[in-house]
Each structure stands twice: as structure tokens, then as C-alpha cells.
Amino acid sequence: MNGLHLTADLYGCANTAALVDLDGLAALCRAEVATAGLTAVGERWHRFPDTAMGPGGVTGAVLLAESHIALHTWPERAGVTLDVYVCNYGQDNSARAESLLSRLIAHFAPAHAQEGRVLRGTVEPDDVRSLERRERDQPLDANLQRQLAQAYEATGDTVKAAAARFAAEALETRQPALLYNLATGYFRHGHVDLAEKWYRTTLTLDPSYASAHENLALILRDSGRGEEAEQHLHTAYQQQWLFEEAGAKQEAKVLLLCAAGLGNVPVEHTLPIDRFARVRCMVEYAPDDVVAQSPACDLIFNLAGDPDVPAASSARLADILRTAKRPVLNGLDAVAWTRRDRLAERLAGIPNIVVPQVRRVELAGQGTAVLLEALGDASYPLILRPAASHGGQGVVLASNAAAVLAAPLGDTQVVYATAYHDFAGEDGLYRKYRIIYVDGKPYAYHLAISGSWLVHYFSADMLACDWKLEEEQRFLANPESELGARAMRAIEAIGERLGLHYGGIDFSVLPDGKVLVFEANATMLVHPEQANGPLAHKNTYIQAIVDATAEMVRRYAG
């Protein structure tokens, strides 16, 4: 029973002579059936008598080995109804049916055609996969999206069915913005595979859609496809260097100065679009008179927060900030001091902290032998980390010179070598705390507890251990109680010394109560957790960070 049923209602047909030509229509249908590769096994035709309204129409059907086609004309309305049904039991005849219907429609030259598609019978997983394979080759086929919608509906996947119907409308009306919105919806909910698919479809429909290039680049970069990501970013920002995102309430309008790629302060959640109007400016691609060409804003927020990203120390960014006539958050000097090898100097003199010695070595892609020579008589172990890397990417713990030579640094240009301090607690576990500073004031964000020195929240298996989440909850509710008064005073002093309007610190507390600083900079990520998920307890504290950031922005915006 598995088959495809196609219908078409035609209006304003220009080929009016065909509407009353029984013999011509019969011959046409026989010829088009053969052209489509289908098999006629019989036919029946009838012409209705003329009436006071005009000549009578023609009705007819051609029986196929694969099923049938039917046709009915309405001369008085210059209209035609078409019906094509094929069985797909022995083979997939869908493309043949579509070709046949398309050619019949073209013969009548309608001013408007309303088409319908119904999958008949049981839809098997193989049928869906077959349609998805065809979709890869025909990404702009609206009719194929309708078939997919019906197939997904039949197999119970109502979410994909709704997306396919939405895509069909977008493709039929040639509106890339609708496809972009579909992709972005998936992206925001973490469905990156589907987001990538629809961003690519958006760009197939409109290769100049800058925001689609930009978001696709983020997906590619996070999945390790850096070279392709850079190509999309370059394409995006060559076409558009300024992106306006209008807020619903517009508590303030903020000009965001961004690096094109990595190294930006993540404000998607801390400066939510439903509260603020955001204007993102890509510094490397902006014209010299960027401030003059930008919309009038209440405040400038320098998001180029990683001092290892060239844009963060560029003359262009310096010129923009020097000529700014509005308050600036996260000035160049404050960001520059957060470079890993400069942090110890910046924080010097603050009691009860340990800032490991860090060497910055420029390899210029010449490999680990140059690194080993630069390290000289350094004491081991050392943590090796490519500059501008985050999330533990490319980090190696080298216990000796041989480990330095074997480090997989590839064509890394700059490496930080950090003296390793053992920070295991009495239970043998490693704790990494994160605190966010908003205008110098500390707000607890999270605690990760791991059996490995390279601590990351999810690799630490926090969700599998209730006691870990309970300890994190205690830290969030009362940081000083968990860290100790000496450590808390040190954390507060660090926030004041950094001079960042927005930033954060990752650290641990040593057995003697001192704070071991891992890093402190402007690019710390803050994001809400699922409201009904296992980490929902964090959202109260995350909201406190969001509210504090909003209040700071409003205050500086005046």
C-alpha cells in the first residue's frame, strides 16, 4: 500500500484550448506517462456537453501498472484538477510521479497552482531515510519537504514534521530568513546537527546571508572544523560588519565591539536580547569611522576579552575606544593585564593567593624543539597550553623534557608553560571554583569536583554524584562558608585589582587556605540550566549574575 498521492488545482490556465480537447488530452497523458517511465494499462475519457456557461469540460483517467492519473477540466473557470497516485511497493516511483505532474501542469500554463502531497499506506523507516537521502541532493525542493513532513508525521516524529512544513513554506516563498530562524531555533536548543543542516540550506538559498555564515562558523569551530569556520566568518564579515539585534524592552542600547571569531566575552545570556538592544561590531572588518557609522548607543562594551586574540590589542580597537563618546566597559588596559603571563604581576601583593609562574613562548609554528630550548632549566611538571585556547583544548601536562618534545602542538604559534601546583584535597579530589565579577563584585557560578587535575564540569561526572552537587549547592549559597574567610577576602581583592567591569576567575583553595589562581579574565562563560533539569538549582545564582550585569549596564548607560 505504500505510495505517493499528488494533487494539483490549477487556476487561470492560459492554454484554454487544451481544456476542451479530449483527444489532445488523452494523447498528452499517454505521452507524459511514457516519458515519466510509468506504464499505462488502460484509459477512459469523456467530454461533457456545452452549457449556457460555455463549452463542456473533459474528464479522464489513465490506469497505470503503478496506479493511476486522473484529470478534470473546467473551461468556464479556466481551471484543471489533476490527480497522480503511484505505488512504491516494488520500487520508489515518487520522482516519476513528480515529473509527470510537473509536466502536466506546465502544459496548461496556469497563473496559479495549488499542490498537495499525501503519503499513503504504512511509512517505514527506510522510506524516511530514502526521502532524507533525496533531500541532501535537493535541499531547495519545497515539495520534498512536504513529503518529509508527512513521513515524519506518520512515524510519530512531530517535531521534525513541523520543521519540514515550515521549511516547505520558506522554500516555496523563497524566504531565507524563515530558514535561518528555523536553524537558529535548533541552535539555541542544542540541536547542532539540525541547526547546521538548515544554516547550510539557508546559504544555498541565499549565499550572502551573513548571520547564517556566522552561526554556522560557530558550529564548525566547536566541532573541530576550524578552517571551514574561518572561511564562513570571513565571508560573513566581508559582507556585513555590523549586526543590530533589537531588544523587546530596550533597557539600554549597547554597542558590542567583537573580535571576528574566538576570544569574545559571552553575553548571549548575561545581556539578554529580550532586555537590551545589542549592536555587534566586528572590529577587524569595521571602517575607520566605525563609531560615526554605528547607530547611536548608550554604552560601549568591549567584548574582545582575550588578550591573545589580535583584535583585542589592535590599533583599530584602540582608535575606536579613544574616540568613543559613551562610557566603555572592559577597557583595553584591563583586558591586556589578564594575559596568563602578566596576571602574576597584576595581582602581586594580594595576600593569601598563589599565582603560578607562566612563560609565554612564541613558536611561530616551528615545533616543540623551539619550546624546549626556550624553557631552558624550567622546573617540571609544566602545563602546556596553546594561546587563545579554552575549555582544556590542547592542554598537556609535561613531566619532563621528553614530554615537551612529544606534546601534540602542531602548528601552534604561541604556547604558555605554567608551573604545575598540586591542588588535590584531603580526599584526593581536585576542586575548581568559578566566580564571576560584575563591576568588581564576586558572584558564585559553579564548582566542579574531579579525580583529574584537568577539571571540567561535565567530564568531572558531577551529575552522577549527589554529594558533589550538594557541595556545589553549599558553595553557591554561601561561598565564604565553603572557601573560608581568608580565601574570600583574597577573591574580593582580586576582583578589585583586575579592573574589569565584567570577568571571572577559575581557582582552587589549597590545604593552607590560600587561593590557587588558574586564570582570571573577561571571557568566562555563564549560561542558564534547563528549568526542569538536574542542575536547575543553579539558576537562582545565575539569575543573580544576569541581574547584576543588567543593573551595571543601566547604571553606566545613564
Side-chain angles (χ1 to χ4, degrees):
M1 288 178 60
N2 181 21
L4 175 63
H5 194 160
L6 306 176
T7 63
D9 299 329
L10 313 184
Y11 303 91
C13 295
N15 188 1
T16 54
L19 304 183
V20 296
D21 184 1
L22 183 149
D23 292 337
L25 289 176
L28 170 72
C29 288
R30 286 192 293 270
E32 295 300 354
V33 163
T35 299
L38 298 170
T39 306
V41 296
E43 59 184 290
R44 181 69 183 268
W45 295 91
H46 174 75
R47 186 175 185 278
F48 293 95
D50 298 345
T51 68
M53 298 177 63
V58 175
T59 187
V62 178
L63 304 181
L64 307 175
E66 298 81 7
S67 193
H68 72 269
I69 66 171
L71 176 154
H72 192 93
T73 69
W74 305 78
E76 70 277 16
R77 298 183 180 179
V80 178
T81 59
L82 297 171
D83 188 280
V84 177
Y85 176 55
V86 292
C87 174
N88 289 329
Y89 180 73
Q91 64 178 356
D92 186 356
N93 291 304
S94 300
R96 296 180 177 86
E98 290 168 351
S99 172
L100 172 58
L101 184 69
S102 177
R103 294 169 69 88
L104 289 175
I105 291 173
H107 180 75
F108 294 102
H112 173 63
Q114 182 177 338
E115 298 180 49
R117 273 146 176 77
V118 179
L119 288 175
R120 304 285 295 275
T122 302
V123 177
E124 302 293 341
D126 284 347
D127 302 324
V128 176
R129 285 191 286 270
S130 174
L131 289 170
E132 290 174 336
R133 284 193 295 270
R134 289 174 56 202
E135 181 191 24
R136 286 193 288 271
D137 296 328
Q138 304 170 55
L140 303 184
D141 190 328
N143 292 331
L144 184 55
Q145 290 301 327
R146 291 193 185 89
Q147 289 180 252
L148 276 164
Q150 293 160 2
Y152 289 137
E153 196 75 55
T155 55
D157 196 335
T158 55
V159 174
K160 282 189 176 180
R165 283 192 291 271
F166 189 83
E169 178 185 354
L171 291 170
E172 187 171 63
T173 57
R174 309 294 289 183
Q175 295 188 67
L178 295 180
L179 291 176
Y180 172 81
N181 291 339
L182 175 61
T184 303
Y186 277 123
F187 192 20
R188 288 177 175 169
H189 289 85
H191 302 294
V192 292
D193 291 343
L194 290 170
E196 178 179 345
K197 165 188 164 181
W198 290 114
Y199 281 134
R200 291 189 183 278
T201 306
T202 302
L203 293 171
T204 302
L205 189 59
D206 180 3
S208 66
Y209 207 112
S211 294
H213 280 292
E214 185 182 33
N215 288 351
L216 177 57
L218 296 177
I219 294 172
L220 295 170
R221 185 194 66 200
D222 289 346
S223 62
R225 291 170 284 175
E227 187 173 338
E228 187 182 358
E230 289 300 319
Q231 292 172 355
H232 280 281
L233 285 178
H234 183 63
T235 301
Y237 301 145
Q238 273 192 318
Q239 298 175 72
Q240 185 176 343
W241 57 272
L242 199 68
F243 298 80
E244 292 196 53
E245 302 165 331
K249 296 182 181 178
Q250 293 203 24
E251 297 176 25
K253 191 170 189 177
V254 187
L255 176 61
L256 306 174
L257 302 179
C258 308
L262 292 170
N264 290 307
V265 180
V267 295
E268 178 66 24
H269 303 293
T270 52
L271 206 64
I273 191 62
D274 63 343
R275 298 175 65 176
F276 295 95
R278 304 183 304 206
V279 181
R280 292 185 296 115
C281 168
M282 301 302 140
V283 172
E284 300 96 318
Y285 293 83
D288 292 335
D289 57 346
V290 56
V291 175
Q293 292 196 36
S294 300
C297 295
D298 303 307
L299 182 73
I300 296 176
F301 198 156
N302 173 30
L303 298 193
D306 187 336
D308 286 306
V309 173
S313 58
S314 69
R316 172 64 55 80
L317 181 56
D319 288 343
I320 293 171
L321 295 178
R322 186 175 59 253
T323 59
K325 293 181 173 58
R326 300 301 300 159
V328 175
L329 301 183
N330 281 8
L332 280 181
D333 289 344
V335 169
W337 275 111
T338 63
R339 208 173 75 177
R340 290 179 184 271
D341 61 323
R342 301 189 67 191
L343 193 58
E345 182 183 356
R346 182 64 163 175
L347 304 182
I350 296 177
N352 299 313
I353 70 170
V354 176
V355 185
Q357 179 185 3
V358 180
R359 298 191 188 188
R360 188 175 192 271
V361 181
E362 296 192 13
L363 299 183
Q366 296 181 51
T368 54
V370 172
L371 173 60
L372 184 61
E373 181 180 356
L375 292 176
D377 58 354
S379 298
Y380 292 93
L382 291 170
I383 301 171
L384 307 179
R385 181 191 312 269
S389 69
H390 297 274
Q393 207 169 30
V395 175
V396 174
L397 182 62
S399 56
N400 51 41
V404 173
L405 288 173
L409 298 177
D411 60 354
T412 298
Q413 300 296 303
V414 177
V415 170
Y416 287 113
T418 304
Y420 175 76
H421 288 251
D422 186 4
F423 60 101
E426 292 181 358
D427 55 4
L429 298 176
Y430 299 85
R431 285 164 173 79
K432 185 177 77 171
Y433 301 87
R434 174 168 293 184
I435 275 181
I436 299 299
Y437 295 113
V438 181
D439 216 9
K441 183 179 179 180
Y443 293 83
Y445 176 64
H446 75 202
L447 161 64
I449 307 170
S450 175
S452 167
W453 69 272
L454 188 58
V455 186
H456 293 289
Y457 198 88
F458 288 102
S459 63
D461 210 16
M462 293 288 290
L463 296 178
C465 301
D466 289 342
W467 70 266
K468 290 184 179 182
L469 294 179
E470 290 167 3
E471 183 174 336
E472 181 188 34
Q473 173 76 3
R474 292 196 300 271
F475 164 67
L476 294 172
N478 192 337
E480 183 168 328
S481 176
E482 290 298 301
L483 302 176
R486 282 202 308 161
M488 197 64 209
R489 299 293 83 75
I491 291 296
E492 292 168 349
I494 290 171
E496 294 174 5
R497 183 72 63 82
L498 285 174
L500 293 169
H501 295 90
Y502 181 91
I505 181 172
D506 283 347
F507 64 96
S508 190
V509 178
L510 298 172
D512 62 3
K514 291 182 178 179
V515 172
L516 175 63
V517 179
F518 298 139
E519 60 179 318
N521 56 56
T523 62
M524 299 287 183
L525 175 64
V526 170
H527 64 85
E529 302 294 344
Q530 290 184 355
N532 58 351
L535 299 177
H537 64 275
K538 297 175 60 175
N539 284 334
T540 297
Y541 308 98
I542 293 166
Q543 189 61 46
I545 297 171
V546 173
D547 291 341
T549 305
E551 176 56 32
M552 175 184 67
V553 168
R554 286 195 298 266
R555 186 169 64 254
Y556 281 95

